[in-house]
Amino acid sequence: MTLFVTGGAGFIGSAVVRRAIAEGRKTVVFDALAYAANLDNLAAVADDSNYRFIRGDIRDAASVRDAFAETRPTAIMHLAAESHVDRSIDGPGAFIETNVVGTYVLLQETRRYFEALSEEERGAFRFHHISTDEVYGSLGPTGKFREDTPYQPNSPYSASKASSDFLVRAWGETYGLPVVTTNCSNNYGPCQFPEKLIPVVILNALEGKPIPVYGAGENVRDWLYVEDHAEALLLVLGKGRLGETYNIGGDEERRNVDLVRTICTIMDDLTPAADGKPYADLITFVTDRPGHDARYAIDATKIRRELGWSPAMSLDDGLRRTVAWYLENRGWWEAIRRRGFSGDRLGLKTG
């Protein structure tokens, strides 16, 4: 088996690749190395004989075609995507190009490749599309997203991912491509690009900068440790029913302001501030972002019932591990800082 992972140098993609290599799978990473990708995420497996990296863009049909011809994959996991909501507010075009057009190109090239396989090879082939719970929109104070929850995306990012989900479904139904889709809740853990909430809190606290919390911090998210997610994704790839969707959640809901305070408390313990003040003093409430969904929560009954998966990491333990990782890997995020990422807030432009 050769696993072909688009976006494999990104946060979630690299976690999948590290786990796949640990399980002895021959794995090809296909990544354009856009701003959030980082080959340092794959340093632990870079010398493994089962690992191969190809720099390529899913929007480039020839590049995808050549990579397929060269590596002869038996399964594709599609994680390449623009993924930051705030960036999608400032520049939605990049999200349409990568998440919609790029997925279309990838599907077309996968279809071309799949139809040329032998009958036996087609029977073993899989295309796994990785998506987000944000396609479902926003929940009220109760209830959870199920696989049959109607789509109601509210940001350019979630709209682009919803579009890609529908494309994958259509290529499965119309062309017989053997597809499966997963929609996950908010991921966190090591190697997350430092523009997302949890690394922003950690790094701003370390640097004594204000820790921004949108609105009143009442927005609720369901948090999933990235290593748990990687395990679930590979399980769905191997055992999920074709044509189905599986929701993957951490079953760990928390208000944003409470999450931030928890991180601050962990940092007070692991790396006390030089002035002796609690890091929570740095929390600053800022203007909410446009279209900010109130609450996400995943009902993961289906994957638990059919495939026996459930998350192993509690949020409190996962946050402690994550804070410790950023403290122990300063070189990783300092290199990103040197590339020009300042940590400034995005997503204020509405025009």
Side-chain angles (χ1 to χ4, degrees):
M1 173 183 178
T2 298
L3 176 61
F4 189 97
V5 183
T6 72
F11 169 47
I12 300 174
S14 63
V16 169
V17 171
R18 293 192 300 269
R19 188 175 189 94
I21 295 292
E23 294 178 356
R25 302 176 190 240
K26 187 176 181 180
T27 305
V28 176
V29 171
F30 185 83
D31 200 300
L33 295 183
Y35 78 97
N38 192 341
L39 287 177
D40 289 344
N41 298 349
L42 297 167
V45 300
D47 295 327
D48 195 288
S49 60
N50 282 327
Y51 167 81
R52 180 173 178 188
F53 173 77
I54 297 175
R55 185 165 186 172
D57 193 322
I58 59 170
R59 299 171 298 176
D60 181 353
S63 178
V64 174
R65 192 178 312 159
D66 289 346
F68 285 172
E70 189 175 346
T71 61
R72 304 296 297 170
T74 51
I76 296 170
M77 295 185 73
H78 177 32
L79 293 109
E82 291 279 354
S83 67
H84 189 42
V85 174
D86 287 2
R87 281 185 180 268
S88 80
I89 295 170
D90 286 352
F95 288 72
I96 303 305
E97 285 293 327
T98 297
N99 299 353
V100 182
V101 176
T103 297
Y104 159 73
V105 172
L106 181 65
L107 285 167
Q108 282 290 76
E109 290 306 317
T110 301
R111 175 190 167 203
R112 180 197 303 269
Y113 172 76
F114 173 74
E115 290 175 348
L117 295 175
S118 69
E119 184 176 351
E120 182 180 358
E121 289 171 327
R122 287 197 299 272
F125 187 83
R126 297 289 183 272
F127 182 100
H128 181 179
H129 174 59
I130 289 80
S131 189
T132 173
D133 59 357
E134 297 192 33
V135 298
Y136 298 120
S138 183
L139 289 167
T142 61
K144 294 185 176 184
F145 296 134
R146 294 162 39 97
E147 287 81 1
D148 58 2
T149 298
Y151 276 28
Q152 193 174 354
N154 291 318
S155 70
Y157 162 62
S158 57
S160 71
K161 289 300 289 184
S163 299
S164 69
D165 292 4
F166 288 136
L167 288 173
V168 171
R169 175 180 174 83
W171 261 244
E173 292 292 328
T174 302
Y175 303 113
L177 201 63
V179 302
V180 64
T181 296
T182 50
N183 296 78
C184 68
S185 58
N186 281 41
N187 278 229
Y188 71 101
C191 297
Q192 187 169 30
F193 192 78
E195 67 183 359
K196 301 298 180 82
L197 175 60
I198 289 175
V200 163
V201 174
I202 296 169
L203 301 188
N204 279 29
L206 282 177
E207 297 172 349
K209 295 165 59 177
I211 299 172
V213 175
Y214 291 173
E218 297 290 332
N219 304 75
V220 175
R221 298 294 181 261
D222 174 15
W223 292 95
L224 173 65
Y225 193 63
V226 69
E227 302 294 341
D228 282 341
H229 189 199
E231 177 189 32
L233 292 176
L234 289 167
L235 184 62
V236 171
L237 177 71
K239 297 183 178 179
R241 289 186 291 132
L242 293 180
E244 292 291 323
T245 295
Y246 294 88
N247 281 352
I248 305 172
D251 198 26
E252 289 278 11
E253 290 184 58
R254 198 160 297 187
R255 294 188 311 162
N256 285 348
V257 66
D258 295 331
L259 180 86
V260 171
R261 286 171 177 154
T262 298
I263 297 169
C264 289
T265 299
I266 292 170
M267 294 190 65
D268 289 338
D269 181 36
L270 296 182
T271 179
D275 61 8
K277 294 181 180 180
Y279 287 109
D281 286 356
L282 297 171
I283 294 174
T284 304
F285 294 95
V286 299
T287 303
D288 209 350
R289 73 182 179 207
H292 197 177
D293 293 333
R295 176 173 167 261
Y296 303 146
I298 284 280
D299 181 347
T301 300
K302 182 175 178 178
I303 189 173
R304 184 169 59 248
R305 181 184 65 243
E306 292 191 11
L307 304 181
W309 177 87
S310 59
M313 184 68 67
S314 72
L315 180 56
D316 288 335
D317 288 346
L319 287 175
R320 180 169 284 267
R321 288 194 185 193
T322 302
V323 170
W325 187 88
Y326 280 91
L327 294 178
E328 294 164 5
N329 291 272
R330 293 186 67 100
W332 181 88
W333 54 266
E334 286 176 344
I336 294 173
R337 286 277 201 262
R338 288 194 295 272
R339 293 205 305 267
F341 176 75
S342 65
D344 292 338
R345 182 183 174 186
L346 304 171
L348 291 171
K349 298 177 183 176
T350 58

CSV table of all heavy atoms in Angstrom, one decimal, residues 1 21 46 62 64 73 75 82 131 151 179 182 200 221 258 264 271 286 301 312 327-328 348:
chain,number,residue,atom,x,y,z
A,1,MET,N,0.8,-1.2,0.0
A,1,MET,CA,0.0,0.0,0.0
A,1,MET,C,0.9,1.2,0.0
A,1,MET,O,1.8,1.3,0.8
A,1,MET,CB,-0.9,0.0,1.2
A,1,MET,CG,-1.7,1.3,1.4
A,1,MET,SD,-2.7,1.3,2.9
A,1,MET,CE,-3.4,3.0,2.8
A,21,ILE,N,3.8,6.4,9.1
A,21,ILE,CA,5.2,5.9,9.0
A,21,ILE,C,5.4,5.0,10.2
A,21,ILE,O,6.0,3.9,10.1
A,21,ILE,CB,6.2,7.0,8.9
A,21,ILE,CG1,6.0,7.8,7.6
A,21,ILE,CG2,7.6,6.5,9.1
A,21,ILE,CD1,6.4,7.1,6.4
A,46,ALA,N,11.8,12.0,8.2
A,46,ALA,CA,12.4,12.4,7.0
A,46,ALA,C,13.4,11.4,6.4
A,46,ALA,O,13.6,11.2,5.2
A,46,ALA,CB,13.1,13.7,7.1
A,62,ALA,N,-1.0,18.8,-14.1
A,62,ALA,CA,0.2,18.1,-14.6
A,62,ALA,C,1.0,17.6,-13.4
A,62,ALA,O,1.6,16.4,-13.4
A,62,ALA,CB,1.0,18.9,-15.5
A,64,VAL,N,0.1,16.9,-10.3
A,64,VAL,CA,-0.7,15.8,-9.7
A,64,VAL,C,-0.5,14.5,-10.5
A,64,VAL,O,-0.2,13.4,-10.0
A,64,VAL,CB,-2.1,16.2,-9.4
A,64,VAL,CG1,-2.9,15.0,-8.9
A,64,VAL,CG2,-2.3,17.4,-8.5
A,73,PRO,N,-0.1,5.4,-6.1
A,73,PRO,CA,-0.8,5.3,-4.8
A,73,PRO,C,-1.9,4.3,-4.8
A,73,PRO,O,-2.6,4.2,-5.8
A,73,PRO,CB,-1.2,6.7,-4.5
A,73,PRO,CG,-1.4,7.4,-5.8
A,73,PRO,CD,-0.3,6.8,-6.6
A,75,ALA,N,-4.0,4.7,-2.0
A,75,ALA,CA,-5.0,5.5,-1.2
A,75,ALA,C,-4.5,6.9,-1.2
A,75,ALA,O,-3.3,7.2,-1.2
A,75,ALA,CB,-5.1,4.9,0.2
A,82,GLU,N,-6.4,25.7,2.5
A,82,GLU,CA,-6.4,26.9,3.3
A,82,GLU,C,-7.3,26.8,4.4
A,82,GLU,O,-8.5,26.4,4.2
A,82,GLU,CB,-6.7,28.2,2.4
A,82,GLU,CG,-5.7,28.5,1.3
A,82,GLU,CD,-4.6,29.3,1.9
A,82,GLU,OE1,-4.6,29.7,3.1
A,82,GLU,OE2,-3.6,29.6,1.1
A,131,SER,N,-12.4,17.1,6.1
A,131,SER,CA,-13.1,18.4,6.2
A,131,SER,C,-13.3,18.9,7.6
A,131,SER,O,-12.6,18.4,8.5
A,131,SER,CB,-14.4,18.3,5.4
A,131,SER,OG,-15.0,19.6,5.3
A,151,TYR,N,-26.0,21.5,5.9
A,151,TYR,CA,-24.9,22.5,5.8
A,151,TYR,C,-25.4,23.9,5.8
A,151,TYR,O,-26.4,24.3,5.2
A,151,TYR,CB,-24.1,22.3,4.5
A,151,TYR,CG,-23.1,21.2,4.5
A,151,TYR,CD1,-23.2,20.1,5.3
A,151,TYR,CD2,-22.0,21.2,3.7
A,151,TYR,CE1,-22.3,19.1,5.4
A,151,TYR,CE2,-21.0,20.2,3.7
A,151,TYR,CZ,-21.2,19.1,4.5
A,151,TYR,OH,-20.2,18.1,4.5
A,179,VAL,N,-15.0,7.0,-2.4
A,179,VAL,CA,-14.7,8.2,-1.5
A,179,VAL,C,-15.2,7.9,-0.1
A,179,VAL,O,-16.2,7.2,0.1
A,179,VAL,CB,-15.2,9.5,-2.1
A,179,VAL,CG1,-14.6,9.8,-3.5
A,179,VAL,CG2,-16.7,9.5,-2.1
A,182,THR,N,-14.6,12.9,6.2
A,182,THR,CA,-14.6,13.1,7.6
A,182,THR,C,-14.7,14.6,7.9
A,182,THR,O,-14.1,15.4,7.2
A,182,THR,CB,-13.4,12.5,8.3
A,182,THR,OG1,-12.2,12.9,7.7
A,182,THR,CG2,-13.5,11.0,8.3
A,200,VAL,N,-1.4,31.1,19.7
A,200,VAL,CA,-1.4,32.5,19.9
A,200,VAL,C,-1.4,32.8,21.4
A,200,VAL,O,-0.6,33.7,21.9
A,200,VAL,CB,-2.6,33.2,19.3
A,200,VAL,CG1,-2.9,34.6,19.8
A,200,VAL,CG2,-2.5,33.3,17.8
A,221,ARG,N,-16.2,25.8,21.6
A,221,ARG,CA,-15.7,24.9,20.6
A,221,ARG,C,-15.5,23.5,21.2
A,221,ARG,O,-15.2,23.4,22.4
A,221,ARG,CB,-14.3,25.4,20.0
A,221,ARG,CG,-14.4,26.7,19.3
A,221,ARG,CD,-15.2,26.6,18.0
A,221,ARG,NE,-15.4,27.8,17.2
A,221,ARG,CZ,-16.4,28.6,17.3
A,221,ARG,NH1,-17.5,28.3,18.1
A,221,ARG,NH2,-16.5,29.7,16.5
A,258,ASP,N,-12.7,30.4,28.8
A,258,ASP,CA,-12.3,29.4,29.8
A,258,ASP,C,-11.1,28.6,29.3
A,258,ASP,O,-10.2,28.3,30.1
A,258,ASP,CB,-13.4,28.5,30.1
A,258,ASP,CG,-14.6,29.2,30.7
A,258,ASP,OD1,-14.4,30.2,31.4
A,258,ASP,OD2,-15.8,28.7,30.5
A,264,CYS,N,-3.4,29.7,30.5
A,264,CYS,CA,-2.7,30.7,31.3
A,264,CYS,C,-2.3,30.0,32.7
A,264,CYS,O,-1.2,30.2,33.1
A,264,CYS,CB,-3.5,31.9,31.6
A,264,CYS,SG,-3.6,33.0,30.1
A,271,THR,N,6.0,27.7,33.4
A,271,THR,CA,7.0,28.7,33.1
A,271,THR,C,6.5,30.1,33.7
A,271,THR,O,6.0,31.0,33.0
A,271,THR,CB,7.3,28.8,31.6
A,271,THR,OG1,8.2,29.9,31.4
A,271,THR,CG2,6.0,29.1,30.8
A,286,VAL,N,-11.3,41.8,22.5
A,286,VAL,CA,-11.2,42.6,21.3
A,286,VAL,C,-12.5,42.4,20.5
A,286,VAL,O,-13.3,41.5,20.7
A,286,VAL,CB,-10.0,42.2,20.5
A,286,VAL,CG1,-8.7,42.4,21.3
A,286,VAL,CG2,-10.1,40.7,20.0
A,301,THR,N,-21.0,9.6,17.5
A,301,THR,CA,-21.6,8.3,17.8
A,301,THR,C,-21.3,7.3,16.6
A,301,THR,O,-21.0,6.1,16.8
A,301,THR,CB,-23.1,8.4,18.0
A,301,THR,OG1,-23.4,9.2,19.1
A,301,THR,CG2,-23.7,7.0,18.2
A,312,ALA,N,-8.6,9.5,23.0
A,312,ALA,CA,-7.9,9.1,24.2
A,312,ALA,C,-7.4,10.2,25.1
A,312,ALA,O,-7.3,10.0,26.3
A,312,ALA,CB,-6.7,8.2,23.8
A,327,LEU,N,7.0,25.1,24.6
A,327,LEU,CA,8.1,25.6,25.5
A,327,LEU,C,9.4,24.9,25.1
A,327,LEU,O,10.5,25.5,25.2
A,327,LEU,CB,7.8,25.3,27.0
A,327,LEU,CG,6.6,26.2,27.6
A,327,LEU,CD1,6.4,25.7,29.0
A,327,LEU,CD2,6.9,27.7,27.5
A,328,GLU,N,9.3,23.6,24.8
A,328,GLU,CA,10.5,22.8,24.5
A,328,GLU,C,11.0,22.9,23.1
A,328,GLU,O,12.1,22.4,22.7
A,328,GLU,CB,10.2,21.3,24.8
A,328,GLU,CG,10.0,21.1,26.3
A,328,GLU,CD,9.3,19.7,26.6
A,328,GLU,OE1,9.1,19.0,25.6
A,328,GLU,OE2,9.0,19.5,27.7
A,348,LEU,N,-10.1,41.4,10.0
A,348,LEU,CA,-10.9,42.6,10.4
A,348,LEU,C,-11.5,43.2,9.1
A,348,LEU,O,-12.4,44.1,9.3
A,348,LEU,CB,-10.0,43.6,11.0
A,348,LEU,CG,-9.5,43.3,12.4
A,348,LEU,CD1,-8.4,44.2,12.9
A,348,LEU,CD2,-10.7,43.2,13.4
